[in-house]
Amino acid sequence: GAGVSQTPSNKVTEKGKYVELRCDPISGHTALYWYRQSLGQGPEFLIYFQGTGAADDSGLPNDRFFAVRPEGSVSTLKIQRTERGDSAVYLCASSSSKSAGELFFGEGSRLTVL
Amino acid sequence: GESVGLHLPTLSVQEGDNSIINCAYSNSASDYFIWYKQESGKGPQFIIDIRSNMDKRQGQRVTVLLNKTVKHLSLQIAATQPGDSAVYFCAENLANDYKLSFGAGTTVTVRA
């Protein structure tokens, strides 16, 4: 497809479990972002990749969260020892620009931690 | 004096009328602003952007106004249609930065 693809679209897990969320950006986009959106709120920045490296991970809430982009394309957001407060929609976006320009968002992965 | 639009979390508009959505941004050093539309169950979708060296920009049925003096941004939608029902977010960005900071959204409901 031409857009940003995220899987799974929905994930229900139990407290304490490990979760992986995948993002497949638009082909050729070097910049990739993860945002988190809680109910009724705007998206909050988590981490930014330019190519393979995490240029800024200052938005990750704690060390249970980690993200990789080993080949500069697909990215995986990993959450260890999930907590109920991690429940949110995790949005991935990609861009062809090195500075903030138009971000193309995926439809998100809705995570529910029971 | 010049009025400053209040941010309202919800806006109900009659189909065919014009909509005005307001946003107050936080950082006077912000250089770039974007409006996004988010429909239920979907990711935000780009509508229009504006840089700080401009005070107005027009697109198809949409106009963005920027007032840097009072740090206020507005989105005007002409002849609002049912498909315009969504949550609208403004986002700001510092010069040469890559992070967007999103504001609290406004839920627009179009009445038939």
Side-chain angles (χ1 to χ4, degrees), chain A residues 33 35 37 40-45 48 55-56 58 91 98-108, chain B residues 32 34 36 38 41-46 49 51 89 93-94 96-105:
Chain A
Y33 303 76
Y35 280 79
Q37 187 173 27
Q41 305 292 318
E44 293 178 308
F45 171 80
Y48 160 68
D56 185 345
S58 62
L91 293 165
K98 287 188 178 181
S99 59
E102 181 178 350
L103 298 188
F104 295 84
F105 282 88
E107 296 199 340
Chain B
Y32 178 60
I34 308 180
Y36 280 90
Q38 187 173 28
K42 297 192 175 181
Q45 178 184 12
F46 174 92
D49 58 1
R51 295 213 172 264
F89 293 98
N93 166 249
L94 294 173
N96 299 317
D97 196 359
Y98 40 79
K99 289 183 285 194
L100 288 179
S101 295
F102 285 80

Side-chain angles (χ1 to χ4, degrees), chain B residues 41-54:
Chain B
K42 297 192 175 181
Q45 178 184 12
F46 174 92
I47 301 173
I48 191 167
D49 58 1
I50 188 167
R51 295 213 172 264
S52 60
N53 60 352
M54 304 172 69

Side-chain angles (χ1 to χ4, degrees), chain A residues 67-79:
Chain A
V68 295
R69 194 186 186 198
E71 298 179 358
S73 178
V74 171
S75 176
T76 304
L77 178 66
K78 307 181 181 193
I79 310 174

Side-chain angles (χ1 to χ4, degrees), chain A residues 5-101:
Chain A
S5 176
Q6 291 188 246
T7 55
S9 54
N10 275 287
K11 176 70 176 178
V12 180
T13 191
E14 294 179 343
K15 180 175 179 294
K17 298 291 188 182
Y18 170 79
V19 165
E20 287 191 353
L21 307 175
R22 175 189 166 107
C23 173
D24 199 342
I26 292 173
S27 178
H29 280 189
T30 56
L32 185 146
Y33 303 76
W34 284 98
Y35 280 79
R36 179 167 71 173
Q37 187 173 27
S38 299
L39 190 63
Q41 305 292 318
E44 293 178 308
F45 171 80
L46 294 177
I47 187 170
Y48 160 68
F49 289 89
Q50 183 59 245
T52 60
D56 185 345
D57 64 358
S58 62
L60 295 177
N62 51 59
D63 61 6
R64 295 187 297 105
F65 288 74
F66 189 70
V68 295
R69 194 186 186 198
E71 298 179 358
S73 178
V74 171
S75 176
T76 304
L77 178 66
K78 307 181 181 193
I79 310 174
Q80 297 178 318
R81 304 183 304 280
T82 51
E83 298 178 357
R84 292 194 179 89
D86 299 335
S87 296
V89 175
Y90 290 82
L91 293 165
C92 178
S94 70
S95 170
S96 59
S97 173
K98 287 188 178 181
S99 59

